[in-house]
Each structure stands twice: as structure tokens, then as C-alpha cells.
Amino acid sequence: QVQLEESGGGSVQAGGSLRLACAASGSTYRSKCMAWFRQAPGMEREEVARIDPSGIATYAAYVDGRFRVSRDATKNTLYLQMNSLKPEDTAMYYCAALPPCYERSYWGVGTQVTVSA
């Protein structure tokens, strides 16, 4: 089992920054195959960034160098540093632990990010 809890969301103006954190716990947590997703109202959930089993980070094209995913293995925490935020980044952001490192997907409850123009 893996438990995930996001934090760090909030309201910022366009051009601002936020750092999201995902605290992970559980007997099978491995600090690998972790990802950030987001879902805006009326839209499907989409992937923002992930760290693959080898530790390499990949990003969605719309991130365009503005976000950086990282992890602190000593704290069992995954981060998403978001800079140059745009109104279209407004969404609920979710942390996930995914196969193949886990037998199934685990999700946090999300943290809201609101970016005003």
C-alpha cells in the first residue's frame, strides 16, 4: 500500500511560482515511478511530469521548461516546482505512484492551483 498527500497549492497571479509537495508513505513505497497529473474543470486528467524507474524526469510539452520535478528520498517526498505560471495552469494537481513499480496506481486527493491573469 502507498499513501500520498499533496500540499503547496494556492492562488497566485500569472508569472508567479508555486512548489507542490507530495508526501509518500506505505510499506511498498519505492520513490520511483512517481508522477504529477492535473485536471481542470470539465477536462480530462493529464500528465504533467513523471520520474521513471531509472530516475529520469520527463515533462508534458505544454510545460515548456517552466516546471521541474524532483524528489527527496530521505523525506519520501516528491516535488513540483512551477514557475512562470499561466491562467491555463489552473487545475487540481495530483500526485501518483504508478506501475510498473507498483502493482496498481495510487493517487493523492489533490491540491488546488489557481492562477489569475
Side-chain angles (χ1 to χ4, degrees):
Q1 291 288 324
V2 177
Q3 293 78 46
L4 304 171
E5 182 174 2
E6 303 93 338
S7 62
S11 297
V12 296
Q13 291 188 329
S17 298
L18 284 172
R19 188 176 80 154
L20 307 184
C22 172
S25 61
S27 59
T28 57
Y29 179 65
R30 300 179 180 85
S31 187
K32 295 182 179 181
C33 298
M34 301 296 296
W36 287 98
F37 286 74
R38 70 184 189 184
Q39 188 168 20
M43 304 293 286
E44 293 189 355
R45 191 172 296 189
E46 61 181 1
E47 184 171 319
V48 179
R50 71 166 58 201
I51 295 180
D52 70 16
S54 62
I56 296 175
T58 58
Y59 300 89
Y62 60 77
V63 168
D64 196 23
R66 301 179 296 127
F67 299 175
R68 179 176 180 271
V69 63
S70 62
R71 60 185 177 183
D72 185 335
T74 64
K75 297 181 180 179
N76 285 348
T77 301
L78 182 74
Y79 299 98
L80 183 67
Q81 176 67 45
M82 304 188 295
N83 301 321
S84 302
L85 283 162
K86 305 175 181 179
E88 51 264 44
D89 294 318
T90 295
M92 185 71 80
Y93 283 71
Y94 298 91
C95 174
L98 303 169
C101 300
Y102 306 92
E103 73 283 1
R104 67 172 185 88
S105 299
Y106 294 91
W107 297 88
V109 297
T111 185
Q112 177 68 38
V113 171
T114 302
V115 185
S116 58

